[in-house]
Amino acid sequence: QVQVAETGGASVQTGESLRLSCVASGWADCKYDEGYELEWYRQAPGKEREFVSGIGRPGRTRYADSVKGRFTISQDKSKDTVSLEMSSLKPEDTATYFCKAVCWSIGYWGQGTQVNVSS
C-alpha cells in the first residue's frame, strides 16, 4: 500500500521562504511506471484543490503559472522524497498543501500540511 506523508508547513511572513517535504513509502514498484509522478496540490479555505507542481521521470517537472519562478520541486535519488522549495511567499499562497503519488494511474494522497503567509 502506497502511503504519502507531508511535513514542513508553518506560518511565515510575506517574502519569506519555506521548504515542504513529502515522503512516499510502499511504492517501490511505482518506480517502474513510466508515468509515475509525485505532485503537490494546495487548497485554500473555500476554494477547490489546485495543482501546484509535479515531478516524474528525470527532467520532467511541471508548475502552475501562479508559482513559476518562485517554487522549485526536487526529488532525492531514491525517488522516495520530493521537496517543494517555496520562495517569495505571498498571502495568496496560504493553503493546505497536499502531496500526491501517482502510480500506475492511481493517486495516493497525504493528509496535508498547513502553510500560512501573513502580510
Side-chain angles (χ1 to χ4, degrees):
Q1 179 69 25
V2 177
Q3 294 185 320
V4 178
E6 311 93 336
T7 58
S11 294
V12 297
Q13 300 286 323
T14 297
E16 292 185 342
S17 298
L18 195 62
R19 184 182 182 93
L20 304 182
S21 293
C22 168
V23 177
S25 59
W27 84 317
D29 290 342
C30 298
K31 300 171 189 177
Y32 300 102
D33 172 20
E34 288 290 328
Y36 94 87
E37 192 165 86
L38 286 172
E39 303 169 339
W40 285 98
Y41 287 75
R42 66 186 181 186
Q43 187 167 19
K47 294 187 177 181
E48 294 187 354
R49 191 170 297 188
E50 64 176 2
F51 173 81
V52 175
S53 183
I55 188 166
R57 286 291 163 189
R60 190 179 78 196
T61 59
R62 299 187 294 137
Y63 296 94
D65 288 342
S66 59
V67 305
K68 280 181 182 177
R70 299 189 299 122
F71 290 11
T72 302
I73 192 169
S74 60
Q75 189 175 29
D76 72 349
K77 290 185 177 180
S78 72
K79 299 183 176 60
D80 292 336
T81 301
V82 63
S83 297
L84 186 68
E85 189 72 40
M86 307 185 294
S87 62
S88 301
L89 284 164
K90 306 174 183 179
E92 50 263 45
D93 294 317
T94 294
T96 301
Y97 284 71
F98 297 89
C99 183
K100 178 184 178 183
V102 181
C103 173
W104 302 109
S105 300
I106 298 174
Y108 301 87
W109 292 91
Q111 293 299 308
T113 187
Q114 182 66 37
V115 173
N116 293 311
V117 185
S118 58
S119 55

